[in-house]
């Protein structure tokens, strides 16, 4: 298994229950063939630039160990999740 890091931004108009449900959904995908080593909900922050007429977002950072197949599935699900406005999955080399 390789080490990965994913940061994603959830819509600012999402309620706290929605944010929690989305993070649990993504943790479930990672846990199905991998393990979450660190999960940090950073909170609502200002975006560097406007995305789809939104200026804020709920930031979430996750460090995890997984196979490339799990990362591909996570990428697929994040693309079709309406609450996620941006995400980035990278290999953690540190």
């Amino acid at each position: 298994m390789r080490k990965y890091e994913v940061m994603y931004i959830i819509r600012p108009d999402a309620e706290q229950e929605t944010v929690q449900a989305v993070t649990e959904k993504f943790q479930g995908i990672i846990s199905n063939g991998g393990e979450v080593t660190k999960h940090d909900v950073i909170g609502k922050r200002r975006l560097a630039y406007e995305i789809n007429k939104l200026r804020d977002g709920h930031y979430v950072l996750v460090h995890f160990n997984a196979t490339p197949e799990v990362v591909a599935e996570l990428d697929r699900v994040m693309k079709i999740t309406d609450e996620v406005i941006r995400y980035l999955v990278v290999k953690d080399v540190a």
Side-chain angles (χ1 to χ4, degrees):
M1 287 198 289
R2 297 180 184 154
K3 292 182 180 183
Y4 292 95
E5 178 179 302
V6 62
M7 177 173 267
Y8 55 95
I9 306 171
I10 300 173
R11 299 178 61 83
D13 54 356
E15 296 186 15
Q16 190 61 32
E17 295 85 22
T18 307
V19 172
Q20 187 173 3
V22 169
T23 58
E24 287 174 1
K25 178 171 80 169
F26 293 151
Q27 282 185 348
I29 293 169
I30 294 169
S31 297
N32 189 13
E35 65 172 333
V36 176
T37 56
K38 183 180 176 187
H39 181 266
D40 188 19
V41 178
I42 298 170
K44 194 170 185 179
R45 296 267 175 114
R46 169 87 55 196
L47 299 174
Y49 54 90
E50 191 174 292
I51 302 172
N52 297 335
K53 299 185 180 179
L54 300 173
R55 295 195 162 270
D56 298 320
H58 297 277
Y59 282 71
V60 181
L61 177 65
V62 181
H63 294 270
F64 62 98
N65 300 325
T67 60
E69 293 80 20
V70 172
V71 175
E73 177 64 15
L74 182 66
D75 186 54
R76 185 189 72 78
V77 172
M78 283 189 171
K79 280 182 186 176
I80 61 174
T81 303
D82 292 334
E83 288 85 11
V84 176
I85 56 177
R86 282 286 191 272
Y87 70 94
L88 182 65
V89 181
V90 294
K91 279 192 220 177
D92 192 8
V93 293

